[in-house]
Each structure stands twice: as C-alpha cells, then as structure tokens.
Amino acid sequence: MSLLKVISAIRRHRKFLISGHVDPEADAIGSQLALASLVKRLGKEPIIIDQDPPPISCDFMPGINSIVLCNALNRKALKEVGCALVVDCPTLERTGKVAELITADTEIINIDHHVSNDYFGHVNWVDEKGAATGEMVFDIFKRLGLKLTKDEAINIYSAILIDTGSFRFSNTTAKTHIIASELIKNGLDTNFIFERLFEMKAYEVTHLLGRSLSTLKRTGDGKIVWMWITRDMMRKTGAQLKDAENFIGFARAVRGAKAALLFKESEERGLIKVSLRGKNGVDVNKIAEKFGGGGHVAAAGFSIKASRREAERRALAEVSKRV
Ligand SMILES: [Mn+2]
C-alpha cells in the first residue's frame, strides 16, 4: 500500500527537503507545514523550500515563516538531505526551481491527488479521489498514531478548505467531512479560517474582478462560458494575476454552463494561462492535457503561446469537442 511505503520511506531518512508547487495555495502550503511538523515530531529535520512565496491569505497558517524561498536559500542548508517530500505536484517540474535542488541520490516521495500526476517519485502515493493533499497528510498522521496538534489541524483544515471551496466542490466526500470533524475537535475557529482564506480580498482584486466579469461571454448554446484577465486590467487596477483566485467560479456558475474558462495574460509576453472548470462530469483534465497541462477532472489548467484571439479560438475549439 502506497501510504505504508511513504511511511517507511520517511522512517529511513533523517533530513527532509519539503516542497510544493509554484504559485502555492493553501493545500500546498498546509500540507508542507503539517508534514514538516510531523517530521520534527519523529525526531527528524525538515526544511521547506518553495520557489514562490505563499499568498497573503495564508499568512495566518502556523509555521508559515519557516518556508524558505529558493532565492533566499543558503545551499549549505541542503547538506545531508536524503529525502524530498513533494506534495500537491503532478510533476516534479511543478516545483519550479526546487527541482534543480534535488540531487540524483535524493529519494523523492511524491504525495499528490492530481489525476494528471506522472509518478515522478521513487515512492509515489497518488490518490486522485482525495479532495486535497491535506487529506492524505492527515492519513499519514493517523497511520503513525500521532494525535494532531492544534497548529497541524489548522494547516490541514486550511488545505482541505481551499481545495474543496469550503466543502462545495464535487471532490468533497464523506471522508472529507469526517476528517474535517476530527480537525475541528482540536478547537479550530472555522469561521476565522474561512474568512482568512476566502474573504480577505484586496480592494484592487475586486476591481480586477469587475473588469474581468465585463468580458464574460458564452457560446450560442450556452454550454461554454469564458472570461479574460488582460495585462491592461492588471495595470489599471494594480492587482496581480495570482490574486485572481476563484474568478472562474463566476463563469462556472452561469446556468447552462458545462465548461468554464478563464484566460489570463501572463507577465511573459505572448503567454496565456488558461484555467478550466468542468461541470456534470465534463473532464477538463483531458482538455488541458491536449495543450500539455493537467489537473483534476473538474478543474485543470494549461498555458498557450499565442495571441489572445488565437488562444481563445484554439481553446474553445478543444472544449467544444467535449461538452
Ligand atoms: Mn491540491
């Protein structure tokens, strides 16, 4: 069983590099922080290294300041690292520059729930039915018989809350609620966590949302709904692309929509990032894979090098084959 293999790999090593994906959110962050805590409780040494800083919304998460960014890393800190615990990443490349820090003799443990995971680790535990990587981290604590501390519970709860959209998305299962129930028993202030993760939008971000919503369009049959965030909008509002979390939910929520897309002009000229959401079983992971991306059945993404018009045309053509 993969969980047991993960545990025996953790037992084999003494020092761990822990990482997650670029542009991290609360699932990657919470899973890393909880795992670092677990490793410490086993008398071992963790170091969390990420390419990008956590979003401001994750500021409250216990241990957040222990995360070391690639560009601030003293290479000496990597001495004697025998194992890399990589969470919430479908590929090793998704760790960005961290991938370059992992040497050939480092054992890689891959813990993830993306259906597009390519099993890059020496030990792979991929549970595509898991709502969040945080659920899997919870299972490791359980299997080790470690009673969660309040801080660990906050981190795992945050991981689950973000990936389930506060228990609203289709990935939410009975198990998700059972885990949440156990976590909450640690005295969590669930309303506080919800507000920090979902209702702390900067004023600029809501302005950006307004502009983005004004681009909302749909196909004649109403099955595909999409919207844009352009560089111009970001310049005018002062908001950044990474703040645009869950904008796509507005497109997805349109009655009759089977698939939703959010096109985002990135800082890199000519590169457009596309987020996808599927409804009623429309598998957007398959669509994203056509463009070299991936994710989950109901939520995926990819990048495309093209003009705005061309990116829209190609993406919509692919989506319309599947709705
Ligand atoms: Mn996740």
Side-chain angles (χ1 to χ4, degrees):
M1 193 190 164
S2 306
L3 167 58
L4 298 180
K5 286 189 184 139
V6 167
I7 286 171
S8 71
I10 291 174
R11 289 198 192 284
R12 276 200 292 280
H13 296 279
R14 198 195 63 78
K15 188 165 172 185
F16 297 81
L17 183 167
I18 299 175
S19 193
H21 56 78
V22 295
D23 297 325
E25 32 63 287
D27 188 24
I29 304 277
S31 296
Q32 290 177 93
L33 293 172
L35 269 180
S37 180
L38 176 141
V39 162
K40 268 194 212 156
R41 287 174 68 184
L42 296 175
K44 299 158 186 279
E45 194 185 336
I47 174 167
I48 304 178
I49 306 173
D50 282 341
Q51 178 186 292
D52 301 321
I56 298 167
S57 59
C58 291
D59 265 3
F60 72 97
M61 293 169 72
I64 193 82
N65 293 324
S66 67
I67 297 174
V68 180
L69 300 183
C70 282
N71 60 16
L73 176 74
N74 180 345
R75 294 280 180 130
K76 279 190 197 143
L78 293 175
K79 227 178 129 209
E80 290 173 1
V81 163
C83 181
L85 280 161
V86 181
V87 297
D88 208 30
C89 287
T91 64
L92 192 57
E93 291 71 51
R94 278 289 282 165
T95 62
K97 289 180 189 147
V98 178
E100 299 160 18
L101 303 172
I102 299 171
T103 55
D105 56 353
T106 306
E107 183 167 28
I108 300 173
I109 308 180
N110 163 18
I111 303 170
D112 184 37
H113 68 129
H114 291 90
V115 57
S116 58
N117 193 288
D118 72 357
Y119 289 73
F120 58 85
H122 299 100
V123 177
N124 299 285
W125 179 27
V126 180
D127 178 8
E128 52 211 44
K129 296 216 163 61
T133 303
E135 282 191 6
M136 303 170 75
V137 174
F138 177 88
D139 285 343
I140 303 175
F141 276 92
K142 270 269 141 169
R143 179 59 75 148
L144 284 168
L146 288 173
K147 200 184 168 312
L148 288 155
T149 65
K150 185 173 180 182
D151 284 355
E152 289 159 353
I154 291 170
N155 282 323
I156 294 175
Y157 186 83
S158 302
I160 293 171
L161 205 66
I162 206 79
D163 268 22
T164 59
S166 301
F167 310 108
R168 288 173 305 157
F169 300 156
S170 58
N171 58 357
T172 308
T173 64
K175 182 181 168 180
T176 310
H177 286 288
I178 289 166
I179 293 175
S181 151
E182 284 215 34
L183 295 170
I184 292 167
K185 284 179 196 156
N186 289 278
L188 302 201
D189 184 343
T190 54
N191 182 249
F192 170 81
I193 297 173
F194 168 75
E195 291 209 351
R196 294 300 290 246
L197 289 177
F198 290 93
E199 304 209 312
M200 293 284 278
K201 296 265 179 270
Y203 183 70
E204 293 80 3
V205 176
T206 303
H207 261 162
L208 179 66
L209 174 64
R211 288 184 187 254
S212 179
L213 282 173
S214 72
T215 67
L216 190 79
K217 285 204 178 87
R218 63 177 174 180
T219 47
D221 59 9
K223 286 183 182 169
I224 309 173
V225 182
W226 69 95
M227 52 201 257
W228 274 88
I229 297 174
T230 63
R231 258 201 306 271
D232 188 50
M233 291 177 195
M234 288 183 273
R235 195 170 46 77
K236 285 192 172 127
T237 59
Q240 287 177 293
L241 207 50
K242 65 177 166 65
D243 303 321
E245 250 180 275
N246 288 325
F247 280 20
I248 195 170
F250 288 91
R252 191 187 177 278
V254 172
R255 192 172 60 216
K258 293 229 158 109
L261 299 92
L262 175 63
F263 294 91
K264 297 167 279 188
E265 264 189 311
S266 77
E267 283 113 69
E268 190 185 327
R269 218 158 249 290
L271 184 75
I272 289 163
K273 294 181 176 177
V274 187
S275 301
L276 288 162
R277 296 291 181 273
K279 264 168 122 172
N280 309 103
V282 171
D283 185 347
V284 290
N285 177 60
K286 289 242 163 63
I287 299 166
E289 277 179 349
K290 290 264 177 195
F291 296 95
H296 308 283
V297 171
F302 63 90
S303 296
I304 186 166
K305 281 217 169 205
S307 66
R308 290 214 302 248
R309 206 174 154 165
E310 183 63 11
E312 190 175 288
R313 191 191 64 74
R314 283 168 58 190
L316 292 178
E318 206 54 52
V319 174
S320 52
K321 287 183 202 161
R322 294 192 175 265
V323 296

